[in-house]
Amino acid sequence: MEPQQKLQADIALIGLAVMGQNLILNMNDHGFTVVAYNRTASKVDDFLNNEAKGTKIIGAHSVEEMVSKLKRPRRVMMLVKAGQAVDEFIEQLIPHLEPGDIIIDGGNSLFEDTNRRVKYCESKGLLYVGTGVSGGEEGARRGPSIMPGGSSEAWPYVKEIFQAVSAKVDGNVPCCDWVGEGGAGHYVKMIHNGIEYGDMQLICEAYNIMKNGLGMSADEMHDVFGEWNTGELDSYLIEITRDILAKKDDDGLPLIDKILDTAGQKGTGKWTVINSQDLGIPITLMAEAVYSRCVSALKDERVKASKKLKGPRPTLSTIANNPEKKKQFINDIRDALYASKIVSYAQGYMLMRAAAKEYGWNLNYGGIALMWRGGCIIRSRFLGKIKDAYDNNPKLSNLLLDDYFRAEIKRSQKGWRNIVATSAKKGIPVPAFATALSFFDQYRSAVLPANLLQAQRDYFGAHTYERTDKPRGEFFHTNWTGHGGSTSSSTYNV
Ligand code: 6PG
């Protein structure tokens, strides 16, 4: 055993990109001793000589050296690119660790990879934690939202550090709690990101109507977002939108007008949508948000198409020129954003419920809302209301059925419909507003036209159908043409 003075550090962190550095500094601020390691060793020295100067942070130039400085059970956290790098570091760590030591992945890993890694590390006697960390650079430094899952025996050993460095809400409640087994932490982070995509798309649609419909300037929109941020939409993403709109380029003109309209994406939104397809849950708004980024990326095609495909002019001059009407219309845009946002979160929670069932997780929905209430990118006042909804009824089957949200949608519905209808008439694309409204109308329909769809399937493929006048589970086939056979195909669902 090493002399005690060498076993000084509480945790090691691999990966000194900005998130890693900031999380280390945050841990140091909270009194933990951190060993910093990076594959390119010169980064370690740079960090120690600059950002980490004058702190208790220790540098390591090899995995072996890093591990040798840790108290037991050893805690090693990785903040490296999701994918192969995580597997490579696990392999490098294993020979230097002992049973009961803990490997933590704080990157945006795919939850299925985390499921696999938990099993693998446990088979080696180690514990494994896959944790979502949200809040960008600033969050990592000042307090992120942290969503850990994996080997539950590891939780007591990481709880103190994680909760200390995480964001706090309502006094001193940490935005960090144990999510569940296997990849549950990364799953919840994935849903966070899907919702993040949706929130961002909704804000972009509101901006687009104000800009191209009402012809509003960046400064005017800055004021509107500033006002929205004092009400029910109060959130980090509305706040940064307000600030983005005020930012001027070197020539004094709004910087926003010079940014190319093609969105990037790293894949977490896509993963959420793929998973929703696997589980058969309609997260239509997040799907539209992902596809809108894809459409935005087709810049050259869109420029060509804009010259050939004609539609109505988007300008809403009658409204824009009448201050009263304009004020009302802007309130309608706010209502459309708000109601759509309620639908998006309801869909996100539907997916989490389905995942909990499918993967055997016992998710605490109110607790998840609380974790997202501060520190993360989707943090908002609104999440406090979601927490209240699940506190009132932990078994709530759908957020749309909660009394508060039901009343909010009722109040916002007129404006929401007006915005979707006006945008359709004026050729202003509002995919997220519109899909949210269509979902809302579908979800509140006791009867949908799927009777016809079933008839079509039975007509061309003998896929059978159930009848309204017979018990569920009995399947019928009709010989629609008179020359089809009476043999039906088997019933199964993918
Ligand atoms: C967070 C963010 C973060 C994400 C970026 C980029 O919670 O801090 O979700 O994890 O990586 O927002 O995502 P895209 O590049 O896919 O937009």
Side-chain angles (χ1 to χ4, degrees), residues 108 134-136 189 192-193 196-197 265-268 293 377:
N108 266 332
S134 175
K189 175 60 172 37
H192 164 284
N193 280 32
E196 171 186 304
Y197 274 53
Q265 49 183 320
K266 296 206 188 77
T268 47
R293 291 196 190 194
I377 303 296

Side-chain angles (χ1 to χ4, degrees), residues 256-272:
I256 187 69
D257 293 336
K258 301 191 180 174
I259 296 179
L260 192 73
D261 56 325
T262 59
Q265 49 183 320
K266 296 206 188 77
T268 47
K270 179 183 82 177
W271 291 346
T272 317

Side-chain angles (χ1 to χ4, degrees), residues 323-359:
E324 264 312 298
K325 281 192 177 153
K326 183 172 167 185
K327 193 162 177 255
Q328 182 52 49
F329 195 75
I330 292 171
N331 285 343
D332 286 356
I333 300 175
R334 183 202 56 212
D335 288 349
L337 201 169
Y338 183 49
S340 304
K341 181 170 167 134
I342 296 172
V343 168
S344 179
Y345 282 66
Q347 293 182 338
Y349 270 82
M350 284 166 76
L351 184 53
M352 283 195 286
R353 275 176 72 93
K357 196 164 166 223
E358 177 76 16
Y359 309 127

